[in-house]
Amino acid sequence: QQQVKQSPQSLIVQKGGISIINCAYENTAFDYFPWYQQFPGKGPALLIAIRPDVSEKKEGRFTISFNKSAKQFSLHIMDSQPGDSATYFCAASGVNRDDKIIFGKGTRLHILP
Amino acid sequence: DAGITQSPRHKVTETGTPVTLRCHQTENHRYMYWYRQDPGHGLRLIHYSYGVKDTDKGEVSDGYSVSRSKTEDFLLTLESATSSQTSVYFCAISEVAGFVYEQYFGPGTRLTVT
């Protein structure tokens, strides 16, 4: 029940295309859903996050879509660029200080130039 | 990197030796975390700390111990390193952002146990 399932494991997209990464969770107590971006040799960096009171959040070319009833959320990268090539992790947590963040297993994204 | 440094950045050690990794932060964050990252497993929590001398276990704590004698330093010790502990280790802190607590990660330590 604590798992966050992420798919696909790897994704190849043409430059200018839309990259879509999906995640699903089971624990209805989760109340905060961040996405992290990680470049090789670096630590994960917080990219964008959403809470379930909204169905969509957009920051530049990055959009989170959230479906509370289906317990699913996804990251969309519009106009994907080679610089977006990285590993992306979805995650879920409660909002209390002692709540742990549960991470998906990651998606390795490669944007073809 | 939210003022987080990790040392060493790379280490190769032999099976059975003790190893200590250090996480240092400069912004007085109360909560600190140690994760390991392995292909196909994502990020898994090893131990965390919620204040000086206050620590607790995470999901994969067996074979690891931690200590926090100062707010700025959180140490992870492998008592007797094994090959299964070859991994990339990340330290993180959390800070409040509105109604949630966001986690920020350090640059990582790549540990190889031969």
Side-chain angles (χ1 to χ4, degrees), chain A residues 29-56:
Chain A
F30 288 148
D31 204 30
Y32 168 59
F33 301 87
W35 285 87
Y36 285 81
Q37 180 188 55
Q38 184 182 29
F39 294 107
K42 304 291 186 182
L46 181 61
L47 179 64
I48 186 172
I50 196 169
R51 293 197 66 193
D53 51 339
V54 296
S55 61
E56 185 176 280

Side-chain angles (χ1 to χ4, degrees), chain A residues 9 31-32 36 38 41-44 46 51 89 95-101 103-106, chain B residues 9 30-31 33 35 37 40-43 45 48 90 94 99-107:
Chain A
Q9 283 187 310
D31 204 30
Y32 168 59
Y36 285 81
Q38 184 182 29
K42 304 291 186 182
L46 181 61
R51 293 197 66 193
F89 294 95
V95 294
N96 297 313
R97 192 66 190 264
D98 290 321
D99 288 331
K100 311 299 178 295
I101 292 184
F103 290 87
K105 294 181 188 249
Chain B
R9 295 293 315 279
R30 183 178 160 203
Y31 278 65
Y33 308 81
Y35 290 87
Q37 183 177 25
H41 290 277
L43 291 149
L45 181 65
Y48 67 100
F90 288 100
S94 72
F99 295 103
V100 300
Y101 291 92
E102 296 177 341
Q103 284 197 14
Y104 294 91
F105 288 80

Side-chain angles (χ1 to χ4, degrees), chain B residues 15-107:
Chain B
T15 298
T17 60
V19 177
T20 296
L21 309 182
R22 179 182 183 235
C23 177
H24 179 78
Q25 53 116 343
T26 59
E27 298 181 5
N28 207 36
H29 297 291
R30 183 178 160 203
Y31 278 65
M32 298 182 74
Y33 308 81
W34 276 107
Y35 290 87
R36 61 178 288 174
Q37 183 177 25
D38 306 287
H41 290 277
L43 291 149
R44 294 181 291 175
L45 181 65
I46 305 171
H47 280 280
Y48 67 100
S49 169
Y50 45 96
V52 173
K53 298 185 180 178
D54 290 324
T55 65
D56 207 346
K57 295 178 180 180
E59 175 189 359
V60 290
S61 59
D62 288 349
Y64 301 95
S65 62
V66 290
S67 65
R68 191 161 178 209
S69 59
K70 299 184 292 184
T71 298
E72 58 266 36
D73 289 324
F74 191 30
L75 304 180
L76 177 71
T77 297
L78 289 64
E79 305 289 349
S80 177
T82 67
S83 58
S84 65
Q85 294 177 310
T86 292
S87 187
V88 182
Y89 291 86
F90 288 100
C91 175
I93 59 89
S94 72
E95 61 180 30
V96 64
F99 295 103
V100 300
Y101 291 92
E102 296 177 341
Q103 284 197 14
Y104 294 91
F105 288 80

